[in-house]
């Protein structure tokens, strides 16, 4: 199998991640739940992971690093913390259902969407300038479109939010581990990310960087302030009810170390080279519509394309039978397709990790050209 669906989850993991998960099953018990060695070692593991995540994302304090089960979990915490019924929210036109579904569940919420063309950062920024007003309760914006790999101007949007004193929530699902993210510079209220994509950790892990206190989504035991019936008033305990996924966090720590050893610039450049390789191969074929820009500052290693002579799902099924793993459809982001004009068809999505090679892309290109 040649795997090109890293935007959903990074399937190939560093060996150290697999080893860390396996080792944790026999080494650690519940952190914060005992004074014996296996519990204390688990607590040290969590602290070490928080510290390395804080360093990677330039967070002021490891206590700002909250462990979640995935990015969706973190985004729900952020939305619960900042959005109230009858409020006003501004979002980009490229948001995932992890943002839009929680918002649509809130009564009388006024949702304003910045719908601008693909790869047009100037228009995107102007759209936010026109919609973010003193009446805006929060801005929620993805850093990178999971459908098109489009890099949104998140630094400029963050600056706009700071200037207008509007809280910002960033969905870093497609950028964490691939693009530089500096919490101290962005000063976002929350940045949510999965552990299982660009950080190369196991599924069932995620991170929420907190620049605000946060309202708990789950209530329960934390191993701290146990006599109180209210949740602790300090991070990270306030947002981490219940037993931690210690094997998952052990794997996440190994994944973070892998990313830091390579560097996000190198990882991103590798993905962009492979994306450009496939885009160049398909752009001259009239059977395909390719959503690509040559400007690498605007697109990561994610490429959507559309076969003109068949259904994308049918093509992906044929690709799967030939040993290639790609994804077709709406990728849980219908508004992105509405914004880009692919709502009737969806797209076929190609996305790579640090483990993919030019030879693999060439094999895919040959299949697509010869089919």
């Amino acid at each position: 199998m040649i795997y090109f669906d890293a935007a959903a989850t990074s399937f190939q993991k560093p060996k150290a991640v697999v080893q860390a998960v396996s080792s944790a099953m026999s080494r650690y018990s519940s952190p914060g739940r005992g004074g014996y060695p296996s519990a204390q070692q688990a607590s040290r593991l969590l602290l070490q992971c928080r510290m390395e995540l804080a360093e990677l994302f330039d967070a002021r304090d490891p206590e700002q690093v909250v462990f979640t089960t995935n990015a969706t979990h973190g985004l729900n915490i952020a939305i619960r913390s900042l959005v109230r019924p009858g409020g006003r929210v501004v979002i980009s036109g490229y948001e995932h259902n992890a943002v839009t579904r929680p918002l649509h569940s809130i009564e009388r919420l006024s949702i304003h969407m910045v719908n601008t063309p693909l790869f047009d950062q100037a228009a995107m920024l102007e759209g936010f300038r026109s919609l973010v007003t003193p009446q805006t309760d929060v801005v929620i914006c993805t850093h990178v479109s999971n459908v098109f790999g489009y890099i949104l101007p998140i630094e400029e949007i963050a600056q706009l939010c700071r200037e207008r004193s509007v809280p910002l929530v960033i969905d870093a699902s497609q950028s964490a581990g691939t693009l530089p993210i500096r919490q101290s510079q962005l000063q976002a209220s929350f940045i949510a990310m999965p552990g299982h994509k660009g950080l190369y950790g196991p599924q069932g892990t995620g991170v929420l960087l907190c620049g605000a206190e946060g309202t708990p989504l789950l209530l329960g035991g934390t191993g701290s302030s146990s006599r109180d019936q209210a949740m602790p008033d300090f991070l990270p305990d306030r947002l981490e009810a219940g037993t931690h996924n210690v094997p998952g966090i052990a794997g996440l720590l190994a994944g973070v170390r892998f990313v830091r050893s390579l560097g996000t610039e190198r990882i991103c450049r590798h993905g962009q080279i492979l994306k450009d390789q496939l885009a160049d191969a398909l752009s001259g074929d009239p059977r395909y519509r390719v959503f690509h820009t040559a400007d690498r500052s605007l697109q990561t290693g994610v490429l959507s394309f559309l076969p003109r002579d068949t259904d994308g799902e049918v093509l992906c099924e044929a690709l799967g039978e030939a040993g290639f793993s790609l994804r077709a459809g709406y990728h849980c982001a219908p508004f992105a397709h509405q914004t880009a004009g692919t709502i009737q068809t969806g797209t076929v999505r190609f996305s790579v990790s640090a483990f993919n090679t030019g030879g693999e892309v060439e094999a895919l290109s040959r299949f697509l050209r010869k089919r």
Side-chain angles (χ1 to χ4, degrees):
M1 177 184 70
I2 299 178
Y3 187 81
F4 290 125
D5 197 20
T9 191
S10 53
F11 181 73
Q12 302 102 324
K13 305 292 184 184
K15 290 182 180 179
V17 171
V18 178
Q19 293 167 353
V21 173
S22 177
S23 175
M25 296 293 291
S26 59
R27 291 183 60 191
Y28 304 122
S29 58
S30 291
R33 268 73 169 179
Y36 44 85
S38 63
Q40 291 178 331
Q41 290 168 3
S43 294
R44 286 195 287 270
L45 167 75
L46 264 64
L47 176 58
Q48 186 63 43
C49 192
R50 292 189 211 276
M51 291 174 63
E52 298 211 19
L53 284 162
E55 290 177 11
L56 177 60
F57 297 114
D58 198 23
R60 176 177 47 82
D61 193 318
E63 292 180 353
Q64 293 179 289
V65 178
V66 169
F67 294 118
T68 61
T69 56
N70 45 47
T72 300
H73 181 188
L75 287 165
N76 271 264
I77 292 174
I79 290 169
R80 177 188 177 96
S81 300
L82 297 173
V83 182
R84 297 290 180 266
R88 185 179 192 275
V89 176
V90 176
I91 65 174
S92 84
Y94 294 91
E95 299 307 310
H96 191 278
N97 280 340
V99 167
T100 59
R101 284 181 171 172
L103 291 178
H104 280 270
S105 73
I106 299 173
E107 295 181 354
R108 305 185 313 281
L109 187 65
S110 175
I111 303 173
H112 299 262
M113 189 177 296
V114 180
N115 294 306
T116 55
L118 268 176
F119 311 126
D120 191 338
Q121 287 190 343
M124 173 69 70
L125 187 55
E126 185 57 36
F128 274 98
R129 284 198 183 101
S130 65
L131 287 177
V132 177
T133 70
Q135 289 72 43
T136 302
D137 295 308
V138 62
V139 168
I140 307 177
C141 188
T142 188
H143 192 175
V144 174
S145 166
N146 72 305
V147 180
F148 301 103
Y150 170 29
I151 303 171
L152 279 68
I154 202 66
E155 290 84 4
E156 293 82 357
I157 293 169
Q159 181 179 350
L160 174 68
C161 289
R162 292 194 301 271
E163 291 171 353
R164 301 188 181 183
S165 301
V166 175
L168 172 65
V169 174
I170 299 174
D171 178 0
S173 294
Q174 300 297 325
S175 59
T178 302
L179 296 175
I181 297 172
R182 299 181 180 88
Q183 166 69 328
S184 63
Q185 175 184 330
L186 296 168
Q187 298 182 33
S189 293
F190 297 99
I191 304 176
M193 63 191 72
H196 66 96
K197 298 188 183 186
L199 296 179
Y200 294 91
Q203 292 158 309
T205 61
V207 177
L208 183 66
L209 303 178
C210 299
E213 182 178 279
T215 300
L217 189 66
L218 297 174
L219 309 176
T222 60
S224 59
S225 304
S226 294
R227 294 178 62 180
D228 299 330
Q229 288 305 289
M231 288 295 287
D233 60 1
F234 53 87
L235 292 173
D237 296 37
R238 180 171 176 77
L239 302 179
E240 291 183 354
T243 300
H244 293 83
N245 176 8
V246 176
I249 293 170
L252 176 59
L253 175 57
V256 169
R257 287 173 172 170
F258 172 77
V259 169
R260 297 184 70 190
S261 70
L262 292 181
T264 56
E265 182 179 353
R266 178 179 171 186
I267 291 171
C268 185
R269 183 171 63 251
H270 175 73
Q272 291 168 329
I273 289 170
L274 298 184
K275 177 262 300 180
D276 289 344
Q277 182 182 344
L278 181 62
D280 291 344
L282 297 184
S283 293
D285 192 324
R287 295 175 300 165
Y288 298 103
R289 179 185 177 192
V290 183
F291 298 88
H292 173 248
T293 175
D295 186 345
R296 289 184 177 172
S297 70
L298 298 177
Q299 191 174 21
T300 61
V302 176
L303 181 73
S304 266
F305 61 94
L306 189 60
R308 300 181 191 273
D309 57 353
T310 188
D311 182 79
E313 296 281 0
V314 173
L315 175 59
C316 268
E317 184 175 346
L319 285 166
E321 292 173 355
F324 301 99
S325 298
L326 285 78
R327 182 178 174 184
Y330 294 105
H331 317 293
C332 303
F335 292 104
H337 290 280
Q338 183 174 305
T339 301
T342 54
I343 191 63
Q344 299 302 320
T345 58
T347 61
V348 176
R349 185 183 66 187
F350 161 91
S351 54
V352 300
S353 76
F355 293 96
N356 289 116
T357 67
E360 292 175 335
V361 177
E362 176 57 28
L364 173 63
S365 301
R366 285 197 303 268
F367 179 88
L368 291 170
R369 289 194 301 261
K370 292 180 179 180
R371 69 171 182 88

